[in-house]
Amino acid sequence: MFLSVTEDLVRRRAEHNNCEIFSLEEISLHQQEIEKLEYLDKWCRDLKILYLQNNLIPKLENVGKLKKLEYLNVALNNIEKIENLEGCEELKKLDLTANFIGELSSIETLKYNIHLKELFLVGNPCTEFEGYRQFVVATLHQLKCLDSKEIERSERIQALQNYPEVKQKIREQEQAYLLKRAREKEEAQRRMQERKEKKQNQMESEHGFNRLWNDKENHQAEGDGEQEMWRTVEDDEEDRRFWEELTPYTPESRLETHRYIEEKRRAKDNIRESKKREKSPWTLVTAEGKVLNVNVPKLHFSLKDDEENNQIILDLAVYRHLDTSLLDVDVQPTYVRVLVKGKPFQFVLPEEVKPDSSSAKRSQTTGHLVVSMPKVYIQKPTGQSWTACLSRDQVTSRVEKLEVDPSKYSFPDVTKIIQEKERTGQGPVSLQPKRITETKKSNVDFENNEDVPPLI
């Protein structure tokens, strides 16, 4: 099965263009394990820069209609021949570093790319041919730089003078290389067939091992452990043989290595998924109905009692760059539960809260999840003696006017709080009133001495 360019992949890599692909001018599709190049000439007609390095592309195809393409990077792929680029009229730079190009004469197809100035062929088998650089310089007159080295005028003149002889040598070396490649392909096919048969025998022996242990029902747990250990030893031995085996560096061996790594990764993922399925679910509520405190994602958190706003605030330190779609918050009257990538965080609240009035937000600076939960009961005021702390709604709804029985209670007469004293004066012009004498009944032994000044 070939991994080709998909529309979803192109849109994901076109975020800088608001995921619009019809007007895309630059796209990077490197390290995407692409094995077949297609659709780009239909979806992205305005492409000017295309990065396809470090994939598994065996052939240049379906890019000939990109009339505006100026830079094409297909380094580190499995390309063996330069072809299908005649339609790239504006092509100025072509990078074919570390491929498997052995047919050096295929560069003649680049004659039609009259704007081509830079060409990179470092790391290809053709660079080992005698007369390689002279042949390229003499063939592509429009070229200004080859393998990061500028082409001098004198070098081009000399290459043109020796072109017939150099061309003949290149043809002979090409034929020898093509014969060698044919043998390598046969060897790769044979090795692939042997590995396939070996894999089939291994699967049959593993099936027999499973059946043997399934017959021993009394030792099932011990058998599972033995079986897993046996598989681990076999995998380690297989890995050792694969990586120690000497093989030539060819497109087939590179593809085979990729397939082997992908197969091992898929097997590990399957084992991990099976273990997840076998794992018992987390206990969040006991059989008696008691809610438990659980922190499976092992996140730091803090719980704050905001008395001023009569609410409880939970600050959960979720990962800063975690997508919010991977969080699920559930507030209940007595507890709060947060699922972080499927892993539950659950905390029993010290007071009852209102789930309908609760809110959950992400901090823009730290990324923390902040859950605000208003309390059902308001804080008891200082100096009051309420028998119960009712909610604000309940207090508002139960406010009644106080009715007083006048017969049992009367307001004080403020006019008689201070008794009026008798004063004598001599009219409005008199500023100094006469001394007021008050006769008080005192003790019988009291003597009034006129010489002693009165107490004020």
Side-chain angles (χ1 to χ4, degrees), residues 130-145:
E130 183 182 354
Y132 147 74
R133 185 174 177 86
Q134 288 181 323
F135 179 77
V136 176
V137 171
T139 303
L140 303 178
H141 299 169
Q142 76 277 27
L143 210 60
K144 300 294 183 184
C145 183

Side-chain angles (χ1 to χ4, degrees), residues 195-196 199-200 202-203 235 238-239 242 255-271:
R195 185 168 282 108
K196 185 177 180 180
K199 187 69 175 177
Q200 185 68 23
Q202 182 179 352
M203 291 179 62
D235 291 342
E238 183 181 2
D239 280 345
F242 181 83
L255 186 61
E256 181 184 2
T257 302
H258 167 74
R259 296 271 171 82
Y260 180 81
I261 295 174
E262 183 66 20
E263 181 182 347
K264 290 296 181 181
R265 185 188 63 79
R266 195 160 46 243
K268 289 182 179 179
D269 290 343
N270 293 337
I271 294 174

